[in-house]
Amino acid sequence: MDTPEFKNAYASVLKSFVESQEEQYLMEAAEMGREMVRAGVPPEDIAEIHEEALRRLAEKSADTTPLEFVQRSSSPLMEMLMAYGLAFREREDERKRAVEALCDSEEKVRSLFEQSMDAIYVHGTDGKNITANRAWLDLFGYTRDELPGLDSRLDIYAEPHDRDDFLRRIAETGHVEDEVRFKKKDGAVMDCVRNVVARKDEHGNVVAYQGVIHDITALKRGERELWRLSEFRETVIDNANVWLDVLDAEANVVVWNKAAEKISGYSAGEVVGHGKIWEWLYPDEDYRKQIEEKAAGIIEGDVVEGLETTVRTKGGEYRTISWHSRNLTDEKGQSIGSLALGRDITEQKKAQEELRESEQKYRSLFERSLDAIALADVNGTLLDANPAYLKMYGHGVEDIGRVNVTQFYDRQSEREDVIRQLREEGAVVGEVRQRKRDGTVMDCFRASVPVNDDAGNLVAIQSVIRDITDSKRAQTELVESREELRRLAQRMEKAREEERTNLARELHDTAGQAITAVKLDVSHIKKRLEQGQAPTPEELAALNDLLDQTADDVRRISSELRPGVLDDIGLDGAIEWQIDELRNRTALDCTVSLPSEGSQLDDARRTTLFRVFQELLTNVVRHSEARSVHVTLESAASVVTLTVADDGCGVDMEKLDDSSSIGIIGMRERLRPHGGELHYDSAPGRGTTARVVMPMG
């Protein structure tokens, strides 16, 4: 008798009895019932408690009424209260047993709820406070801890307006059964069948929605694929420009379109209905087994994208085919075959290989671009920038998001002009003056494009900027050197013509005459042989000498055009050879100092340095009036230094730097592509020293 309801009823009855014993003797069940109602005892329980109390009192009263028994009792109040208390306690025990039974039943329901393979859920009318079983959680990809924060309209429905349509329909009928598209946690959209009922309280108000969901995505996909296949067969397959074939579950050909006939050389009549085509297309057994394994995997459900195979056509030609394949399923999801699309990429493969090689050459340039790239919003806030941009303007990564690019403009109004031009023309390309963080002004070439939102509003500006300050300076120097280059070109053309004339003369005067003489001697010997006379030893010796002289002339001319020793014995040996030639042709006292180890230059640099060396020796012979010349070749660190020093008349340095010194300009232009430099040290009366510095590359 320790329940709150009983204690409240007991206290109320005791208070009334003390106030008026007479009234308490006459209390009937209705009064006790009113007290229990006021104490919160459910009305349906009061009648049963009253009947039980009277039964207990009757058992004690024998031949009197329960009320008379209570009045004669020495403790009437306690008798009555005990009777009602026992009745109330028994009722409470029954209620507890009922509650326990209900809990047991709910536990069984909960177990079925959790173990069901169907996705079951309950949520409030606002789409929140979702309760779901394990199947639902697995289907949508959420954990139980994430359920309280979900909103079905935003997080579950693929199209939020479907939620509004659902609420309208269930309000009308209290039950909705239809197909709908839901989305998983990862954003994947799925087709589902749902069955939902509205749960109401005792007043008939909807308090929640309970539903069951089945994922029919695969079924819908199968339906769509069957429809597509039908459409393909009727309107597309035979006219497709790609190889298309359909196989059954045993890899027998079912469909073979015209493109497949054209590429393979086999007609549909030859291949449909069996699987022999694979032996024809892939005659190599090991290779064919690999293809068959792939085909079996596709029928089992594998999807192939861009698989390349080499097939042998009916005409014996080998072609490379790029395949896109997947399986076909029936309405139960069972695989019934496969569909394959093949594109002949034989020619494209060649082009792709050439493109790949080209991309490899320039990939590093694109990945490590030195151009400054930045993204700023319309207000000028720097949103993102690459290292080249930050380095150019003198900022760090921490400045991104804090710096306003308006401060970079030499004129503040230029930023507004850029925005206006972007909105009107869609791009801004041209030169602009920009200011670095330290205030340094630089000339830049800029290309800017707009970044718009979905509504077409300008939200940001992306720019690629290159510092052309040095280029602008170089333009001035270029204008000044243009005249020098023009004169150099004229001299080079004149030199080429002279070289051609000299070469023609050399060939005519030496090799040409020698060959003619050889021909005459050979004709003379031929006639003697025809007359049965053998050539004399003197004739053969003369012919041999003539041939030797001709070979020497050809070697000499060839060496002047391209010294073979440069390829045979390297730069060091070629320099020694050239010095020997100079000794033989002139009275100069020539000395040479070479490094203990050969210089490490590539072919282009080696040839350039040797040609400049020849030009320097030519200048010594023609202009210096020297008696001796000393040549030094040194290799140190990453450069090779060639020094040619004579004891001649020398020359004024201003004349050496004069633009009319075409020979010197030519040598410097020859060295420039390789990063080489030519320096002179000379004065009238004390000789000239020329020093060539060539990087090793």
Side-chain angles (χ1 to χ4, degrees), residues 555-570 573-574 577 606 610-611 614:
R555 277 194 296 270
R556 178 177 54 79
I557 295 172
S558 175
S559 296
E560 291 176 356
L561 294 175
R562 164 71 183 185
V565 291
L566 191 61
D567 297 320
D568 297 336
I569 59 177
W577 170 82
R606 187 170 62 236
F610 185 72
R611 288 304 188 192
Q614 288 179 312

Side-chain angles (χ1 to χ4, degrees), residues 562 566-567 601-609 674:
R562 164 71 183 185
L566 191 61
D567 297 320
L601 292 175
D602 57 37
D603 290 343
R605 284 179 167 80
R606 187 170 62 236
T607 301
T608 298
L609 187 57
H674 306 292

Side-chain angles (χ1 to χ4, degrees), residues 465-507:
I465 303 172
R466 178 177 297 172
D467 183 358
I468 59 171
T469 306
D470 293 338
S471 299
K472 295 281 285 187
R473 187 182 301 112
Q475 285 180 358
T476 303
E477 297 175 358
L478 180 62
V479 172
E480 295 175 353
S481 65
R482 205 168 270 170
E483 184 63 22
E484 296 178 1
L485 294 176
R486 184 184 65 79
R487 289 198 298 271
L488 176 62
Q490 291 176 345
R491 182 180 180 280
M492 292 178 65
E493 183 62 28
K494 181 180 178 181
R496 277 196 294 267
E497 289 300 324
E498 291 176 352
E499 188 68 25
R500 290 168 183 159
T501 301
N502 293 335
L503 178 61
R505 185 182 298 113
E506 283 284 339
L507 290 174

Side-chain angles (χ1 to χ4, degrees), residues 359-386:
E359 288 177 345
Q360 286 180 344
K361 294 178 181 179
Y362 297 101
R363 183 175 297 118
S364 177
L365 176 64
F366 286 110
E367 291 177 350
R368 303 176 182 180
S369 174
L370 298 178
D371 288 335
I373 305 173
L375 180 70
D377 65 20
V378 290
N379 297 319
T381 301
L382 185 63
L383 303 178
D384 198 5
N386 71 341

Side-chain angles (χ1 to χ4, degrees), residues 289-325:
K289 286 182 179 179
Q290 298 177 21
I291 303 302
E292 289 174 347
E293 290 176 0
K294 285 284 186 182
I298 293 170
I299 293 177
E300 291 298 322
D302 293 345
V303 177
V304 169
E305 298 288 343
L307 173 66
E308 296 180 5
T309 70
T310 301
V311 302
R312 184 179 186 275
T313 67
K314 188 174 182 178
E317 182 183 7
Y318 284 90
R319 310 292 295 178
T320 301
I321 310 297
S322 176
W323 297 101
H324 293 258
S325 306

Side-chain angles (χ1 to χ4, degrees), residues 592-626:
V592 61
S593 176
L594 300 175
S596 58
E597 296 183 0
S599 56
Q600 301 298 317
L601 292 175
D602 57 37
D603 290 343
R605 284 179 167 80
R606 187 170 62 236
T607 301
T608 298
L609 187 57
F610 185 72
R611 288 304 188 192
V612 171
F613 170 64
Q614 288 179 312
E615 182 74 14
L616 291 174
L617 291 184
T618 300
N619 289 343
V620 170
V621 173
R622 289 180 178 177
H623 309 297
S624 71
E625 301 177 4

